[in-house]
Amino acid sequence: MIPLSVPNLAGNEWQYVKECLDTSWVSSVGSFVNRMEEMSASFSGVTGAVATSNGTAALHISLILAGVQAGDLVILPNITFVAPANAITYMGARPLLMDVYEDTWELDVDLLEQFLIEECACNNGVCYHKLSGKRIPVIIPVHVLGNMVNMEKLMPLAAKYHIAVIEDATESLGSTYKDKPAGSFGLFGCLSYNGNKIITTGGGGMILTDNDKLAKEAKHLTTQAKADPLEYYHDKVGYNYRMVNILAAMGVAQMEQLPGFIQRKKEIASLYNLGLKDIPGFKGQETTEHVTSNCWLYTAVFGQSKQLMEYLAARDIQTRPFWVPMNRLPAFDADIYYNKTDIAGNIYSTCLSLPCSTNITDDEVAAVIENIHQFYA
Ligand SMILES: Cc1ncc(COP(=O)(O)O)c(C=O)c1O
């Protein structure tokens, strides 16, 4: 069986986790959580990092601190894993779905500009959707599959319309736009260390920010908003969202290997691009100009992608279809979807993700390529 994307635990994971077990520092306080935060802030080029129980929790806390209120709209690309749409909904807000570019599969920033010009207005430093009268305080650009949104165009546009940016950088740890790391552009950047990500803590996430006050507040909210070191006095509704030390221990070991993992992901993508280029109908994800992608999850357009998936599964090769676009899910199908030709729908129905764990061998990649050629022969 060649799996899609599995953890690569080849470093100091056992040693660091054992250290937690030997010393009983297994829960939400411990030196590995602090180290994980320091390493993440330094790697992503921000001043503050707050470790969370998962990436969805990181998004939830960021939305709270960006001032989202019940009844608001939050702009989100229609192509995304469902987590940010769910986090928006936890707030009593709704996603406002925006179509993506045909080649890069990232939020269409030109379409966004048209939307803001034609359908929105600012009043007293707040952006409103004219038709519904609802506020639009936040946009979540999702950096899909390790590629990135055109941040050079997005950031001034968001600033002009007084919209705070929360980057969903959960898939793009190690990617850069003009050498600036994913997650370091917005008011907040959110990371995930879920099992299939480029590094993993089993489950975990991180809030990145350059705003020290907000970083402090994020830590407060993720630790039940306990305001007194001794007394159980909580000054607001808090959350039990802190990453635990035993998982952070794994994370520190994974961070040590991250540059090597990124290098391997890039090699795997090159092998697939070369080996598949002659397949009729094949088309890889194009990288946004000025972006260096971490090549997290190799995904491409294939003719008859569903049949190809079944063919490969029968040969013990695990692949995955792309996410069903948000506007086709029952929880979000009544939300506003701004698009011209539903590019997201087309991408969904033609894309397939291929095995690309960092510990996949070149021979296994060659076997996947060979089987794909056989399917089309
Ligand atoms: C785009 C995107 N956003 C958010 C998440 C949520 O992260 P987590 O699973 O750590 O909650 C994920 C991954 O799982 C993701 O791929």
Side-chain angles (χ1 to χ4, degrees):
M1 162 81 162
I2 305 179
L4 182 76
S5 181
V6 290
N8 184 351
L9 309 173
N12 290 319
E13 289 83 359
W14 282 99
Q15 186 193 322
Y16 295 167
V17 169
K18 185 172 181 305
E19 206 174 307
C20 295
L21 297 173
D22 287 342
T23 57
S24 299
W25 286 98
V26 294
S27 196
S28 52
V29 180
S31 64
F32 283 113
V33 187
N34 301 338
R35 271 169 71 184
M36 186 66 184
E37 290 178 332
E38 283 158 19
M39 288 172 98
S40 300
S42 153
F43 185 86
S44 295
V46 294
T47 54
V50 178
T52 56
S53 49
N54 55 61
T56 311
L59 287 163
H60 187 192
I61 295 295
S62 300
L63 286 163
I64 294 171
L65 292 177
V68 171
Q69 296 169 10
D72 286 345
L73 297 173
V74 174
I75 300 172
L76 183 72
N78 194 25
I79 284 277
T80 175
F81 179 63
V82 71
N86 284 340
I88 292 164
T89 312
Y90 303 160
M91 302 296 303
R94 299 300 312 175
L96 188 150
L97 303 168
M98 184 75 40
D99 209 355
V100 298
Y101 288 117
E102 196 169 1
D103 298 331
T104 63
W105 315 342
E106 303 292 328
L107 179 85
D108 183 336
V109 192
D110 294 291
L111 189 67
L112 171 70
E113 184 171 30
Q114 184 186 333
F115 169 76
L116 291 171
I117 291 170
E118 291 177 1
E119 313 244 352
C120 298
C122 286
N123 194 355
N124 280 332
V126 180
C127 179
Y128 287 90
H129 179 233
K130 286 193 273 191
L131 195 64
S132 65
K134 289 176 183 273
R135 300 183 342 140
I136 307 181
V138 166
I139 180 166
I140 302 183
V142 179
H143 301 308
V144 174
L145 301 175
N147 188 18
M148 286 178 68
V149 172
N150 179 343
M151 297 309 282
E152 201 166 46
K153 181 146 180 148
L154 175 70
M155 293 307 293
L157 198 55
K160 185 173 167 196
Y161 283 86
H162 308 284
I163 299 175
V165 175
I166 298 174
E167 290 175 81
D168 184 331
T170 51
E171 302 179 357
S172 58
L173 176 61
S175 304
T176 56
Y177 185 98
K178 287 198 171 172
D179 294 329
K180 190 169 158 55
S184 69
F185 288 82
L187 182 63
F188 296 104
C190 297
L191 304 177
S192 165
Y193 310 118
N194 182 27
N196 66 2
K197 295 297 185 284
I198 194 154
I199 63 164
T200 186
T201 56
M206 193 69 69
I207 301 169
L208 305 174
T209 183
D210 273 324
N211 183 316
D212 295 345
K213 198 162 157 259
L214 288 175
K216 241 179 158 171
E217 193 55 24
K219 184 165 179 198
H220 186 56
L221 282 183
T222 53
T223 50
Q224 302 282 25
K226 187 164 180 283
D228 186 280
L230 191 62
E231 290 286 334
Y232 285 91
Y233 181 76
H234 306 263
D235 59 1
K236 51 186 69 149
V237 174
Y239 299 82
N240 183 11
Y241 277 175
R242 185 98 177 129
M243 180 186 281
V244 293
N245 201 45
I246 197 165
L247 298 186
M250 206 169 135
V252 168
Q254 290 271 287
M255 281 298 287
E256 291 169 353
Q257 300 163 84
L258 179 56
F261 288 173
I262 295 169
Q263 182 53 34
R264 182 60 187 151
K265 287 281 189 188
K266 288 179 180 171
E267 286 166 10
I268 296 164
S270 301
L271 289 173
Y272 277 133
N273 282 337
L274 191 65
L276 297 171
K277 67 179 181 2
D278 296 330
I279 299 282
F282 164 84
K283 196 169 163 302
Q285 179 186 24
E286 280 182 27
T287 307
T288 306
E289 199 185 356
H290 306 306
V291 169
T292 303
S293 171
N294 70 358
C295 299
W296 167 59
L297 190 69
Y298 188 86
T299 305
V301 172
F302 291 97
Q304 299 173 283
S305 62
K306 299 284 181 278
Q307 292 91 327
L308 175 61
M309 184 167 65
E310 283 164 23
Y311 181 88
L312 294 174
R315 283 149 188 83
D316 278 344
I317 296 170
Q318 190 184 29
T319 63
R320 196 190 74 173
F322 216 16
W323 308 297
V324 175
M326 296 304 100
N327 75 311
R328 298 192 189 187
L329 302 181
F332 307 109
D333 62 1
D335 288 304
I336 300 167
Y337 174 27
Y338 195 73
N339 74 100
K340 282 181 184 158
T341 56
D342 186 24
I343 287 166
N346 191 37
I347 292 169
Y348 155 67
S349 55
T350 56
C351 274
L352 204 61
S353 302
L354 302 182
C356 55
S357 312
T358 50
N359 51 13
I360 195 172
T361 64
D362 285 3
D363 284 349
E364 286 172 322
V365 174
V368 177
I369 292 170
E370 176 59 25
N371 275 280
I372 294 174
H373 277 276
Q374 279 167 11
F375 173 77
Y376 290 104

